[in-house]
Amino acid sequence: MSKNSNRNTIIGSALPNLPWEERPDTCKDPVWRFSQNPIIGWNPIPSGARAYNSAVVPYGDGFVGVFRIDDKSGRAGLHFGKSDDAIRWELEDKRIDWVDESGKPNPNSYAYDPRVVLIEGTYYITWCDDLKGASIGMGYTKDFKTFVKVENPLMPFNRNGVLFPRKIGGEYVLLSRPSDSAHTPFGDIFLSHSPDLTYWGKHRHVMAAGGSGWWQGTKVGAGPIPIETTEGWLLFYHGVSNTCNGFVYSIGAALLDLEDPSKVLYRSRGYLLTPEKEYETSGFVPNVAFPCATMYDAPSGKIAIYYGAADTYSAIAFTQVDELISYIKNDSEV
Ligand code: BMA
């Protein structure tokens, strides 16, 4: 498949100003890194030490994002950022001030690994929140000025809450990864349904850690918002392997059934990206590649994957949807 092919595989909008770089001739892989990585380094704002595992979306003529930034006490919080090109980011020094639905302050004690999705005119944000332990936090904004925090959708312990970008069968659908209170040594991806984004049920198992590939043998967690394609929901996820030097976080992808996304149609047997570059293998937590967002240009099938590297840096990788899907299908293990 030529890189400029146009099969309209992605069901979505055009984004002609998507950051993009062609695959270098020396690279034969379906996913390749941006040559300007990392795009955000140590101490990106006066109050913050590290900005990573963050979510970005197109907004107006440019881009905005909700960034995980660890402050100089090490505590994680969420900050707003904006950019003209989705590469150079202007990050606010102050954390997002959450309010409740009546406008009263509704602070959280910590917050990390945000995802942002536009559903029917509202931007929903999910993150790992503190509900007497790690749980899924949820909020929304219409203008990236007022941020409303709503009820936690699921009980602790849980992480990696990721909403689908539209209702499926008339209901909202949320991926999550039930966990424990610390650095969980297990974890499968589940999904839950809701008629109203408040009450969640009809929980289904989606995919387990393991398989013949050791890179995802310990745990898996949903990454960016799934991308709707003619071949199914394209879900990038992180897979974790346990080594004598700790966990290693890599990136894989799966295709889920469009009508029933608890059904995995295809799943990459090998990883698509694993920590290799110094900004991935060395930092606050070495050997972590953790994707929380993608942006795409539907007509060309170009996808930019935003990932956190070594719990320190923000980085971008690229892929082309048709090539990626045929790669996954050719070496799939569900
Ligand atoms: C997970 C989360 C991520 C982090 C990863 C590696 O449990 O806390 O935020 O990137 O560990 O440290």
Side-chain angles (χ1 to χ4, degrees), residues 70-135:
D70 297 350
D71 69 17
K72 292 192 175 169
S73 77
R75 206 170 181 84
L78 302 181
H79 294 241
F80 172 71
K82 62 181 181 187
S83 173
D84 291 334
D85 60 6
I87 297 167
R88 288 173 298 250
W89 289 90
E90 202 182 306
L91 305 175
E92 281 190 1
D93 195 54
K94 198 169 166 295
R95 288 191 166 158
I96 288 173
D97 281 325
W98 295 96
V99 295
D100 67 16
E101 298 203 73
S102 70
K104 293 202 197 85
N106 194 11
N108 39 20
S109 69
Y110 61 73
Y112 57 85
D113 301 352
R115 276 75 165 184
V116 180
V117 59
L118 177 62
I119 309 177
E120 294 169 12
T122 299
Y123 293 88
Y124 292 92
I125 303 155
T126 50
W127 66 91
C128 180
D129 196 36
D130 180 19
L131 180 66
K132 303 280 178 206
S135 185

Side-chain angles (χ1 to χ4, degrees), residues 52-53 68 112-113 159 183 219 249 285 288 290 311:
Y52 58 104
N53 298 6
R68 172 199 177 142
Y112 57 85
D113 301 352
R159 291 177 172 86
H183 299 297
K219 51 182 173 176
Y249 282 70
V285 180
V288 181
F290 195 100
D311 285 11

Side-chain angles (χ1 to χ4, degrees), residues 19 47 123 129 157 249 257 267 279 288 300 304 319:
S47 69
Y123 293 88
D129 196 36
F157 300 101
Y249 282 70
D257 186 83
R267 175 175 172 186
Y279 55 86
V288 181
S300 63
T319 189

Side-chain angles (χ1 to χ4, degrees), residues 245-275:
N245 275 328
F247 290 150
V248 175
Y249 282 70
S250 306
I251 303 176
L255 282 165
L256 312 179
D257 186 83
L258 282 179
E259 299 310 316
D260 177 5
S262 68
K263 268 194 223 152
V264 180
L265 307 175
Y266 298 96
R267 175 175 172 186
S268 51
R269 194 185 56 79
Y271 55 75
L272 299 172
L273 187 148
T274 199

